[in-house]
Amino acid sequence: MGALVCALVVSLGGEADALEAHVEEREVVELTIAGRTDPKLEASLAELLRHAGFSPRFAHVARPSPKSVTTSPYLVAVVSLDLTRVDSIELVIVDARHATVLTRGVPTADCLDEIAREEIGHIVLFAVEAIRRGETVGTPQPRALVLAPPKERARGELETVVTLRTYANVAPVVVGVGAAVGASTRVSSFHLRGLVGFEQRSAVVVTTRAASARFEQRSLRIAVSAGVPLSARTELTLAGGVSADLLAVTTTALRANTERVRNASDLVPVLDATGGITFQLAPRLFVSGAVGAEMPLSTTEYALEAERNVVFLAPDAVRLVGRFSLGVSF
């Protein structure tokens, strides 16, 4: 008799588990979140949906992408949340059984606060409950829905830049500081940028018995880059540029029989290529780091005119470059 009772309990428990799994399977709501993650928003949505008897399933993507939604006996609704925008969050709620679409926008200013999370939760919950009741929610679609990514507009960018580069035997490291301005946009999954920047570099001073020479550098650079997303906030960035380096030389003779001061200047074209990482600190603030090489198209040695064998400066034919920047988009 005891064995019979145990078998009955196990059987009833198994049937209850199967019934619970069946209910969850027939009340599925898929939620796809594009952009940054927000654990509080996901926890709020999961709690609301489970309390109402739904089984939420979350997925994350870096950016919104076209997605086909087909009918399914187990899928109640498909919810897409676009968190890649700065001033609003777009919700697209699809009735998976009748292929109707509801689109709503929730303004968020520059951050996702508790009020916005609560508004998003109520919109999603009311919509999926209405879909479960058989009500028509949204606009009917003739076939499976394809969600198009939002149109990207060009953005302006402003950067502050610090560089380190090898230069010559007498100047193993030259430090540069500057600023750049440009624009960026997205084409498919690529982040394309164009920048024009100005840089002031640390002076190089070389002194011999005959004279002292001071080399000052300024640079104007035009660069383009392409970023490939690695995650919601991180990009692999490949860049190339061309710059014009203005080298101003002031030579002061230390002997009485030579000219005391002499000034000269050169304009040197330079090509460069770098690769690095860009990380988004906030919706409009990012930091970048890159390493690469640059090659001047002319290599001039600077020597004392009265003594040709005394070379003040012989720039390297290829230079290693490290570039660090903090930027803002607007």
Side-chain angles (χ1 to χ4, degrees):
M1 181 65 70
L4 181 60
V5 171
C6 291
L8 180 60
V9 170
V10 171
S11 176
L12 291 175
E15 290 180 1
D17 292 340
L19 179 59
E20 182 179 357
H22 181 66
V23 170
E24 289 186 355
E25 186 180 37
R26 293 185 59 86
E27 303 289 343
V28 172
V29 176
E30 291 185 354
L31 301 100
T32 301
I33 300 177
R36 62 187 184 276
T37 58
D38 190 296
K40 291 184 178 179
L41 176 61
E42 293 184 33
S44 176
L45 289 170
E47 182 180 359
L48 288 172
L49 291 171
R50 290 195 181 101
H51 187 267
F54 295 101
S55 177
R57 295 178 182 175
F58 288 92
H60 298 85
V61 294
R63 300 196 61 80
S65 59
K67 179 180 178 182
S68 297
V69 180
T70 57
T71 59
S72 168
Y74 309 111
L75 189 62
V76 176
V78 175
V79 181
S80 297
L81 296 95
D82 183 1
L83 274 64
T84 63
R85 304 183 180 188
V86 176
D87 53 355
S88 67
I89 292 178
E90 185 181 65
L91 285 82
V92 179
I93 303 174
V94 182
D95 182 343
R97 299 170 182 173
H98 302 96
T100 58
V101 183
L102 176 68
T103 303
R104 291 289 184 270
V106 177
T108 59
D110 286 333
C111 63
L112 183 59
D113 55 17
E114 292 298 332
I115 296 177
R117 294 188 186 98
E118 184 175 351
E119 184 176 355
I120 292 170
H122 281 89
I123 293 174
V124 172
L125 181 61
F126 292 160
V128 297
E129 284 184 331
I131 291 172
R132 180 168 60 182
R133 290 193 299 267
E135 300 177 14
T136 300
V137 176
T139 304
Q141 300 294 314
R143 292 186 179 179
L145 172 70
V146 176
L147 300 178
K151 293 182 179 180
E152 289 287 345
R153 63 180 181 86
R155 290 184 176 273
E157 291 191 358
L158 181 64
E159 288 187 1
T160 57
V161 183
V162 177
T163 62
L164 300 173
R165 60 176 36 79
T166 59
Y167 191 71
N169 289 336
V170 295
V173 178
V174 172
V175 180
V177 294
V181 64
S184 70
T185 187
R186 292 188 182 273
V187 177
S188 185
S189 60
F190 295 98
H191 187 187
L192 304 181
R193 306 170 68 211
L195 294 170
V196 177
F198 175 79
E199 183 179 318
Q200 174 72 50
R201 297 173 186 165
S202 58
V204 178
V205 179
V206 182
T207 302
T208 67
R209 293 182 178 181
S212 174
R214 179 183 177 88
F215 299 83
E216 296 183 350
Q217 296 183 66
R218 300 174 180 86
S219 179
L220 182 66
R221 178 174 180 260
I222 300 175
V224 295
S225 68
V228 180
L230 299 178
S231 67
R233 292 191 176 188
T234 308
E235 290 182 345
L236 171 64
T237 305
L238 302 176
V242 57
S243 59
D245 291 357
L246 177 62
L247 184 64
V249 186
T250 301
T251 305
T252 303
L254 302 179
R255 293 179 180 176
N257 60 346
T258 58
E259 185 180 355
R260 299 302 299 171
V261 178
R262 182 175 180 181
N263 297 323
S265 61
D266 281 328
L267 189 64
V268 182
V270 180
L271 301 178
D272 68 77
T274 59
I277 297 294
T278 298
F279 181 76
Q280 188 176 15
L281 299 173
R284 297 189 181 185
L285 185 67
F286 59 90
V287 63
S288 300
V291 293
E294 64 180 19
M295 181 179 67
L297 299 184
S298 66
T299 54
T300 302
E301 290 187 350
Y302 297 89
L304 184 62
E305 184 176 351
E307 301 179 19
R308 295 291 182 179
N309 60 330
V310 178
V311 177
F312 283 105
L313 188 69
D316 297 334
V318 178
R319 308 163 189 166
L320 300 180
V321 181
R323 181 173 284 107
F324 309 92
S325 63
L326 178 67
V328 60
S329 61
F330 51 91

